[in-house]
């Protein structure tokens, strides 16, 4: 029992030390807010794909608020290929600087059917920055 007290004493005393308090940057309040912000980014990606003369797969917006009627259209082979592209994609330096959530959002865009070039371009948008907070 003495050994446990000897171990806990330094740990507990360190918790009581005064010092500067580190606070996180406020992000979305809940999961629904995060989904909404990510969906705004996906809507812009879909618009960018259309502006480039391509037809965006509906998979990009499946599950997003306001797009509840959409269903997956990519075949299993297309989904697998999109996952391989996402795994092989090199995230831009700015994405890595934003942390692991940014990398996750970047790769999720690609797995939903966003071309890698469009996903890379999206990383510089305010929608991407808001989605990864």
């Amino acid at each position: 029992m003495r050994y446990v007290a000897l171990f806990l004493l330094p740990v507990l005393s360190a918790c009581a030390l005064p010092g500067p308090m580190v606070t996180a940057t406020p992000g979305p309040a809940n999961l629904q807010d995060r989904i909404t912000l990510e969906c705004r980014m996906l809507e812009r990606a879909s618009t960018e794909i259309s502006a480039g003369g391509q037809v965006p797969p509906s998979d990009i917006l499946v599950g997003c608020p306001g797009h509840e009627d959409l269903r997956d259209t990519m075949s299993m082979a297309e989904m697998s290929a999109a996952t391989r592209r996402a795994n092989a994609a090199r995230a831009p330096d700015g994405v890595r600087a934003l942390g692991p959530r940014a990398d996750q959002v970047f790769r999720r865009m690609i797995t939903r059917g966003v071309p890698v070039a469009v996903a890379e371009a999206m990383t510089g948008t305010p929608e991407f920055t808001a989605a990864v907070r």
Side-chain angles (χ1 to χ4, degrees):
M1 189 58 109
R2 266 187 258 180
Y3 296 113
V4 173
L6 289 175
F7 172 73
L8 286 178
L9 185 60
V11 173
L12 294 175
S13 63
C15 293
L17 293 176
M21 193 162 192
V22 178
T23 58
T25 305
N30 60 38
L31 179 61
Q32 188 59 43
D33 291 343
R34 285 186 142 179
I35 290 170
T36 301
L37 290 170
E38 191 166 333
C39 284
R40 282 189 195 139
M41 178 204 56
L42 292 169
E43 287 170 345
R44 177 153 180 201
S46 184
T47 301
E48 295 293 324
I49 294 167
S50 295
Q54 298 175 336
V55 177
S58 65
D59 297 57
I60 294 172
L61 299 172
V62 168
C64 285
H67 302 280
E68 290 83 4
D69 57 328
L70 294 178
R71 299 289 174 250
D72 290 325
T73 58
M74 292 181 358
S75 68
M76 186 60 73
E78 291 169 323
M79 287 181 192
S80 295
T83 300
R84 285 191 299 278
R85 281 191 302 276
N87 288 335
R90 186 178 180 322
D93 291 335
V95 170
R96 282 180 270 153
L98 292 172
R101 175 152 167 73
D103 187 65
Q104 190 178 51
V105 170
F106 171 72
R107 292 181 193 289
R108 191 164 36 239
M109 268 195 289
I110 299 167
T111 61
R112 284 176 165 260
V114 175
V116 174
V118 174
E120 289 172 345
M122 289 300 300
T123 63
T125 65
E127 289 88 353
F128 183 82
T129 303
V132 301
R133 283 190 292 158

